[in-house]
PDB file of all heavy atoms in Angstrom:
ATOM      1  N   VAL A1260      -6.436  -9.952  -8.622  1.00  0.00           N
ATOM      2  CA  VAL A1260      -6.421  -9.292  -7.310  1.00  0.00           C
ATOM      3  C   VAL A1260      -6.598 -10.320  -6.198  1.00  0.00           C
ATOM      4  O   VAL A1260      -5.893 -10.285  -5.175  1.00  0.00           O
ATOM      5  CB  VAL A1260      -7.507  -8.211  -7.242  1.00  0.00           C
ATOM      6  CG1 VAL A1260      -7.575  -7.599  -5.847  1.00  0.00           C
ATOM      7  CG2 VAL A1260      -7.258  -7.120  -8.280  1.00  0.00           C
ATOM      8  N   ASN A1261      -7.528 -11.249  -6.383  1.00  0.00           N
ATOM      9  CA  ASN A1261      -7.781 -12.260  -5.356  1.00  0.00           C
ATOM     10  C   ASN A1261      -6.551 -13.126  -5.121  1.00  0.00           C
ATOM     11  O   ASN A1261      -6.207 -13.445  -3.973  1.00  0.00           O
ATOM     12  CB  ASN A1261      -8.966 -13.126  -5.778  1.00  0.00           C
ATOM     13  CG  ASN A1261      -9.459 -14.011  -4.649  1.00  0.00           C
ATOM     14  OD1 ASN A1261      -9.913 -13.532  -3.620  1.00  0.00           O
ATOM     15  ND2 ASN A1261      -9.374 -15.323  -4.844  1.00  0.00           N
ATOM     16  N   GLN A1262      -5.870 -13.485  -6.207  1.00  0.00           N
ATOM     17  CA  GLN A1262      -4.662 -14.309  -6.075  1.00  0.00           C
ATOM     18  C   GLN A1262      -3.578 -13.568  -5.300  1.00  0.00           C
ATOM     19  O   GLN A1262      -2.901 -14.135  -4.439  1.00  0.00           O
ATOM     20  CB  GLN A1262      -4.160 -14.697  -7.471  1.00  0.00           C
ATOM     21  CG  GLN A1262      -2.965 -15.635  -7.455  1.00  0.00           C
ATOM     22  CD  GLN A1262      -1.657 -14.902  -7.653  1.00  0.00           C
ATOM     23  OE1 GLN A1262      -1.585 -13.924  -8.391  1.00  0.00           O
ATOM     24  NE2 GLN A1262      -0.603 -15.375  -7.004  1.00  0.00           N
ATOM     25  N   LEU A1263      -3.424 -12.278  -5.584  1.00  0.00           N
ATOM     26  CA  LEU A1263      -2.435 -11.462  -4.867  1.00  0.00           C
ATOM     27  C   LEU A1263      -2.741 -11.403  -3.374  1.00  0.00           C
ATOM     28  O   LEU A1263      -1.847 -11.571  -2.529  1.00  0.00           O
ATOM     29  CB  LEU A1263      -2.418 -10.046  -5.440  1.00  0.00           C
ATOM     30  CG  LEU A1263      -1.680  -8.982  -4.612  1.00  0.00           C
ATOM     31  CD1 LEU A1263      -0.194  -9.281  -4.562  1.00  0.00           C
ATOM     32  CD2 LEU A1263      -1.938  -7.594  -5.175  1.00  0.00           C
ATOM     33  N   VAL A1264      -3.985 -11.178  -3.030  1.00  0.00           N
ATOM     34  CA  VAL A1264      -4.357 -11.023  -1.622  1.00  0.00           C
ATOM     35  C   VAL A1264      -4.247 -12.366  -0.883  1.00  0.00           C
ATOM     36  O   VAL A1264      -3.745 -12.417   0.255  1.00  0.00           O
ATOM     37  CB  VAL A1264      -5.764 -10.421  -1.495  1.00  0.00           C
ATOM     38  CG1 VAL A1264      -6.170 -10.295  -0.029  1.00  0.00           C
ATOM     39  CG2 VAL A1264      -5.818  -9.039  -2.161  1.00  0.00           C
ATOM     40  N   LEU A1265      -4.680 -13.450  -1.516  1.00  0.00           N
ATOM     41  CA  LEU A1265      -4.524 -14.764  -0.897  1.00  0.00           C
ATOM     42  C   LEU A1265      -3.054 -15.083  -0.659  1.00  0.00           C
ATOM     43  O   LEU A1265      -2.674 -15.606   0.397  1.00  0.00           O
ATOM     44  CB  LEU A1265      -5.157 -15.849  -1.782  1.00  0.00           C
ATOM     45  CG  LEU A1265      -6.684 -15.941  -1.766  1.00  0.00           C
ATOM     46  CD1 LEU A1265      -7.150 -16.896  -2.851  1.00  0.00           C
ATOM     47  CD2 LEU A1265      -7.191 -16.405  -0.402  1.00  0.00           C
ATOM     48  N   LYS A1266      -2.216 -14.778  -1.630  1.00  0.00           N
ATOM     49  CA  LYS A1266      -0.779 -15.023  -1.487  1.00  0.00           C
ATOM     50  C   LYS A1266      -0.204 -14.199  -0.336  1.00  0.00           C
ATOM     51  O   LYS A1266       0.641 -14.687   0.433  1.00  0.00           O
ATOM     52  CB  LYS A1266      -0.063 -14.680  -2.796  1.00  0.00           C
ATOM     53  CG  LYS A1266       1.440 -14.922  -2.760  1.00  0.00           C
ATOM     54  CD  LYS A1266       2.079 -14.609  -4.097  1.00  0.00           C
ATOM     55  CE  LYS A1266       3.589 -14.881  -4.051  1.00  0.00           C
ATOM     56  NZ  LYS A1266       4.253 -14.579  -5.344  1.00  0.00           N
ATOM     57  N   SER A1267      -0.652 -12.968  -0.205  1.00  0.00           N
ATOM     58  CA  SER A1267      -0.158 -12.108   0.863  1.00  0.00           C
ATOM     59  C   SER A1267      -0.538 -12.640   2.238  1.00  0.00           C
ATOM     60  O   SER A1267       0.240 -12.545   3.191  1.00  0.00           O
ATOM     61  CB  SER A1267      -0.702 -10.682   0.681  1.00  0.00           C
ATOM     62  OG  SER A1267      -0.263 -10.128  -0.549  1.00  0.00           O
ATOM     63  N   VAL A1268      -1.749 -13.197   2.354  1.00  0.00           N
ATOM     64  CA  VAL A1268      -2.175 -13.787   3.621  1.00  0.00           C
ATOM     65  C   VAL A1268      -1.377 -15.051   3.914  1.00  0.00           C
ATOM     66  O   VAL A1268      -0.854 -15.241   5.026  1.00  0.00           O
ATOM     67  CB  VAL A1268      -3.687 -14.088   3.603  1.00  0.00           C
ATOM     68  CG1 VAL A1268      -4.097 -14.888   4.840  1.00  0.00           C
ATOM     69  CG2 VAL A1268      -4.491 -12.793   3.534  1.00  0.00           C
ATOM     70  N   LEU A1269      -1.258 -15.921   2.910  1.00  0.00           N
ATOM     71  CA  LEU A1269      -0.559 -17.190   3.112  1.00  0.00           C
ATOM     72  C   LEU A1269       0.914 -16.982   3.442  1.00  0.00           C
ATOM     73  O   LEU A1269       1.429 -17.490   4.443  1.00  0.00           O
ATOM     74  CB  LEU A1269      -0.695 -18.069   1.866  1.00  0.00           C
ATOM     75  CG  LEU A1269      -2.046 -18.767   1.662  1.00  0.00           C
ATOM     76  CD1 LEU A1269      -2.162 -19.311   0.246  1.00  0.00           C
ATOM     77  CD2 LEU A1269      -2.219 -19.904   2.677  1.00  0.00           C
ATOM     78  N   GLU A1270       1.615 -16.246   2.591  1.00  0.00           N
ATOM     79  CA  GLU A1270       3.060 -16.097   2.754  1.00  0.00           C
ATOM     80  C   GLU A1270       3.428 -15.006   3.752  1.00  0.00           C
ATOM     81  O   GLU A1270       4.357 -15.175   4.547  1.00  0.00           O
ATOM     82  CB  GLU A1270       3.700 -15.792   1.396  1.00  0.00           C
ATOM     83  CG  GLU A1270       3.578 -16.920   0.393  1.00  0.00           C
ATOM     84  CD  GLU A1270       4.290 -16.648  -0.915  1.00  0.00           C
ATOM     85  OE1 GLU A1270       4.692 -15.477  -1.150  1.00  0.00           O
ATOM     86  OE2 GLU A1270       4.448 -17.587  -1.707  1.00  0.00           O
ATOM     87  N   GLY A1271       2.715 -13.880   3.692  1.00  0.00           N
ATOM     88  CA  GLY A1271       3.094 -12.740   4.503  1.00  0.00           C
ATOM     89  C   GLY A1271       2.604 -12.789   5.930  1.00  0.00           C
ATOM     90  O   GLY A1271       3.217 -12.190   6.813  1.00  0.00           O
ATOM     91  N   LYS A1272       1.492 -13.506   6.188  1.00  0.00           N
ATOM     92  CA  LYS A1272       0.917 -13.510   7.528  1.00  0.00           C
ATOM     93  C   LYS A1272       0.908 -14.889   8.190  1.00  0.00           C
ATOM     94  O   LYS A1272       0.985 -14.995   9.407  1.00  0.00           O
ATOM     95  CB  LYS A1272      -0.511 -12.958   7.494  1.00  0.00           C
ATOM     96  CG  LYS A1272      -0.578 -11.469   7.152  1.00  0.00           C
ATOM     97  CD  LYS A1272       0.169 -10.626   8.164  1.00  0.00           C
ATOM     98  CE  LYS A1272       0.056  -9.139   7.870  1.00  0.00           C
ATOM     99  NZ  LYS A1272       0.830  -8.318   8.849  1.00  0.00           N
ATOM    100  N   LEU A1273       0.804 -15.950   7.405  1.00  0.00           N
ATOM    101  CA  LEU A1273       0.771 -17.290   7.983  1.00  0.00           C
ATOM    102  C   LEU A1273       2.098 -18.029   7.817  1.00  0.00           C
ATOM    103  O   LEU A1273       2.317 -19.067   8.442  1.00  0.00           O
ATOM    104  CB  LEU A1273      -0.365 -18.114   7.352  1.00  0.00           C
ATOM    105  CG  LEU A1273      -1.787 -17.628   7.671  1.00  0.00           C
ATOM    106  CD1 LEU A1273      -2.809 -18.399   6.853  1.00  0.00           C
ATOM    107  CD2 LEU A1273      -2.072 -17.767   9.152  1.00  0.00           C
TER     108      LEU A1273
END
Side-chain angles (χ1 to χ4, degrees):
V1260 175
N1261 191 63
Q1262 184 261 325
L1263 167 66
V1264 178
L1265 284 171
K1266 181 178 181 180
S1267 299
V1268 172
L1269 284 166
E1270 295 184 348
K1272 292 300 183 182
L1273 293 173

